[in-house]
Amino acid sequence: TQAALQGWTRWDLPVLHPYLGFTWDPGARSNNAFGFPGPTNALMSDDPNRLLVVVTGGSVAQQLWTGARQRLAKGLRAAPAFAGRQIHVVCWALPAYKQPQQLLALSYFLSLGIRPDLVINLDGFNEVANGLNNAAYEQGLMHPAFPAPEPWLHLAAGSPSLADLNAAGEVQLVRSWRAAAARSVERLDFSPTVRLVGRLVDRALRGRIVAVESAVYARALSGERPLTATQTGPVGRFDGGALYEELTLLWERSSAQMDRLARANGIQYFHFLQPNQYAPGSKVLSPWEEAHVVDRSGRFPPHVIAGYPHLRAGGERLRAQGVRFADLTPIFVDEREGTYIDTCCHLNDDGNAILADRIAQAVVAAQGEEAR
């Protein structure tokens, strides 16, 4: 869909950040001064009538902000506690983000004097289900708390090789093609044929980006270029269920700390486990989804099937601590139409709308509980 297409074309060049691992290039179009999508002034207002809502997490959270932030704001207006407030939904989510990056983002912005009213953390998939990440942890090549191998291994490298420089140049060129294609589709949005061709072109270009970045990652893991402690952290090997348990505990502890930090600063914190097509029993896939959104390479499904039960158990422990946690994996169980757009986890307009509605409903219900 057009909204999802625009979300992907806003992937800019990742740049190193001293506290968050990486952000997007602050100098690129559509990014604010802090390296996240959206305008800078939305974060800097002192208007007491403003309700600042933060969406954080990985690419699913970022695309929720891109495609459905207005719908989320509309749903939040149903809470009497928010009546008359100007609701601003801002994005602290980026593709590949995983805990503790969300925790660090909250700490970082609070240290800058930016205090949101609500923090909505939508995550889980990047924490346990990326097979490339897990391979690095299992082989003892990276610590699970470090940023995702893509793009961290490349960004934190000392002097990049010629092959890596060529790869970076190719990725930027293909991204410029994607952006140009998206603008062309937007101008001719009235044509279903143009929209279809646009989606196919975008999928092909996105596939090329993934292939080039995966090759850089594979060279690093192969030992072709030795990894440094800056890239890897305090490594140790994990295998089997021990890996999922460690990843879940990292995710769980990070969320608990976000909740404590939020409460200490008068912020409402809500944590949601994101839906995914590989969570057993979560959705009957449409014929189009069966053909287009099922990963047959084994990169994602085994890790969702093995890892999500750990996340659900961790979510129950968070709830027992008083964290407002909700498992959103069943939200598409009655949907027979398509909601997913790729073999990873991302949603179309309808999927994002349902996701925004469910999150808003949970937040609004919590306001009623507070009032009682």
Side-chain angles (χ1 to χ4, degrees):
T1 62
Q2 187 62 22
L5 190 64
Q6 289 173 352
W8 275 106
T9 56
R10 285 181 181 140
W11 171 281
D12 291 294
L13 178 66
V15 295
L16 280 170
H17 189 281
Y19 306 116
L20 307 181
F22 59 90
T23 63
W24 282 353
D25 182 359
R29 181 177 66 89
S30 300
N31 297 339
N32 59 39
F34 302 102
F36 290 92
T40 301
N41 59 8
L43 287 166
M44 307 306 292
S45 171
D46 293 325
D47 183 357
N49 194 45
R50 182 192 66 165
L51 187 81
L52 183 62
V53 180
V54 163
V55 174
T56 189
S59 56
V60 169
Q62 181 257 317
Q63 290 194 4
L64 172 69
W65 178 87
T66 299
R69 63 183 179 275
Q70 298 300 331
R71 189 175 184 112
L72 177 61
K74 180 179 179 181
L76 293 175
R77 290 190 185 98
F82 302 152
R85 305 285 296 274
Q86 297 295 322
I87 298 178
H88 293 270
V89 182
V90 300
C91 182
W92 295 352
L94 287 181
Y97 261 33
K98 61 185 184 67
Q99 291 287 19
Q101 283 170 297
Q102 297 94 293
L103 167 61
L104 296 174
L106 178 59
S107 302
Y108 176 59
F109 281 108
L110 283 172
S111 74
L112 298 180
I114 299 171
R115 189 191 68 81
D117 297 284
L118 297 175
V119 172
I120 294 169
N121 181 23
L122 176 67
D123 65 4
F125 178 87
N126 287 350
E127 280 75 8
V128 302
N130 191 317
L132 291 178
N133 294 0
N134 293 357
Y137 311 145
E138 289 170 338
Q139 295 174 46
L141 297 172
M142 288 189 71
H143 192 279
F146 265 47
E150 297 178 300
W152 177 251
L153 291 181
H154 176 68
L155 289 173
S159 299
S161 67
L162 179 60
D164 287 352
L165 290 173
N166 287 336
E170 181 176 355
V171 166
Q172 284 305 101
L173 178 62
V174 176
R175 285 174 178 156
S176 71
W177 291 345
R178 291 185 71 197
R183 288 193 294 270
S184 299
V185 170
E186 191 171 1
R187 285 195 296 269
L188 299 172
D189 191 52
F190 58 85
S191 169
T193 302
V194 170
R195 289 199 300 271
L196 174 61
V197 171
R199 286 196 293 272
L200 294 175
V201 169
D202 186 72
R203 187 180 304 141
L205 294 176
R206 177 154 46 90
R208 181 57 188 165
I209 291 173
V210 170
V212 173
E213 290 183 335
S214 296
V216 173
Y217 172 73
R219 283 197 296 274
L221 293 188
S222 70
E224 186 177 320
R225 186 180 69 231
L227 299 176
T228 67
T230 301
Q231 294 170 292
T232 66
V235 297
R237 287 184 177 273
F238 298 92
D239 53 32
L243 173 62
Y244 296 112
E245 183 176 351
E246 179 63 25
L247 295 174
T248 299
L249 288 173
L250 176 62
W251 170 82
E252 184 182 333
R253 289 190 293 260
S254 297
S255 183
Q257 292 295 344
M258 289 183 75
D259 183 70
R260 293 169 190 146
L261 187 57
R263 290 178 187 272
N265 287 274
I267 301 167
Q268 294 191 48
Y269 172 68
F270 296 85
H271 187 184
F272 299 95
L273 176 59
Q274 68 192 76
N276 188 267
Q277 63 261 48
Y278 306 117
S282 63
K283 186 182 189 300
V284 176
L285 298 182
S286 70
W288 187 91
E289 287 175 315
E290 286 283 2
H292 295 93
V293 309
V294 177
D295 170 36
R296 308 190 193 283
S297 71
R299 176 177 176 179
F300 301 122
H303 302 287
V304 173
I305 293 168
Y308 262 51
H310 288 270
L311 294 178
R312 292 193 183 97
E316 289 300 321
R317 292 191 293 268
L318 286 171
R319 240 196 308 262
Q321 298 176 51
V323 178
R324 289 164 169 160
F325 173 85
D327 176 7
L328 297 186
T329 56
I331 65 173
F332 301 134
V333 70
D334 295 324
E335 294 296 322
R336 294 299 180 263
E337 299 300 319
T339 57
Y340 292 98
I341 59 170
D342 60 23
T343 59
C344 164
C345 48
H346 301 105
L347 303 173
N348 61 19
D349 285 350
D350 292 338
N352 276 319
I354 295 168
L355 185 59
D357 289 345
R358 293 300 183 91
I359 290 173
Q361 289 164 10
V363 174
V364 170
Q367 309 314 303
E369 294 170 4
E370 289 287 330
R372 290 195 293 272

